[in-house]
Amino acid sequence: MSSTTDPVAVHPRPDGPPVYGPPPWEPAQPDRVTRFIQRKWRESPIWVAPAAMLVCMAGAVGYTLATSPTEANAGATPSCLLKYTTGFICPGCGGTRAAWYLLHGDVPAAARHHALFVFVVPFLLYMYVAWAGRRLFGWRLPQLDLSPGVIGAFIAVWGVFSVLRNLPWAPFTAFYV
């Protein structure tokens, strides 16, 4: 009666009557790469992840300071491929220049180049400090729990901002960078 193609197969149970229906679902086993990464995560010292994040942030700051993006012209490399080919401003356009101005303490100029980036930076820095402090030192700083609704609202605002900064008439030309 039971076969591999029969959707209503009998599955015997050792402690009771047979069960009719599809076989019970079994979760998929992780592949070799996932198992390797999870094993390395469990075996690594507790300071590795915060240090890796700090190295990445330091690299981004170093790159921004070394390249001086405010002096680059439109065709300088590396250039935004979307802006170079279509003329449209991408959602992240102006972010590197905004970071450069923030690193030099010029908040109005940074906001002129990418207002949302300037708005988000303090939250991201706090989230890093709270996470790394809890992980390394056991600090109990309040965590910023971002619900899916908050994240969705931010993405929607970012999308609207991205569209508005590409409109060619006032007052939206003030967003153009």
Side-chain angles (χ1 to χ4, degrees):
M1 176 171 179
S2 172
S3 72
T4 56
T5 59
D6 187 7
V8 186
V10 176
H11 304 288
R13 292 188 342 195
D15 61 342
V19 177
Y20 295 94
W25 178 79
E26 293 181 19
Q29 297 299 317
D31 60 299
R32 288 190 309 179
V33 174
T34 303
R35 287 193 311 268
F36 173 77
I37 291 172
Q38 288 173 344
R39 186 177 72 247
K40 290 300 178 188
W41 176 261
R42 285 188 307 269
E43 294 172 355
S44 67
I46 199 152
W47 56 266
V48 169
M53 292 277 296
L54 198 58
V55 166
C56 289
M57 289 187 289
V61 167
Y63 172 80
T64 302
L65 291 174
T67 59
S68 187
T70 58
E71 298 171 5
N73 61 15
T77 56
S79 182
C80 176
L81 186 60
L82 180 72
K83 188 172 184 179
Y84 190 69
T85 57
T86 66
F88 290 121
I89 302 171
C90 75
C93 193
T96 307
R97 286 169 281 169
W100 191 86
Y101 282 116
L102 278 179
L103 290 168
H104 288 85
D106 193 352
V107 176
R112 162 74 179 90
H113 285 279
H114 204 296
L116 287 177
F117 177 80
V118 174
F119 173 76
V120 168
V121 163
F123 293 103
L124 293 176
L125 289 174
Y126 178 80
M127 288 172 68
Y128 171 76
V129 168
W131 170 73
R134 177 170 289 190
R135 186 162 173 84
L136 295 174
F137 308 114
W139 296 348
R140 294 291 176 194
L141 295 174
Q143 298 287 316
L144 292 178
D145 293 326
L146 302 177
S147 69
V150 170
I151 294 171
F154 177 76
I155 291 172
V157 167
W158 194 4
V160 168
F161 176 72
S162 299
V163 170
L164 292 180
R165 69 193 312 205
N166 279 297
L167 297 178
W169 55 84
F172 308 115
T173 53
F175 294 135
Y176 191 79
V177 290

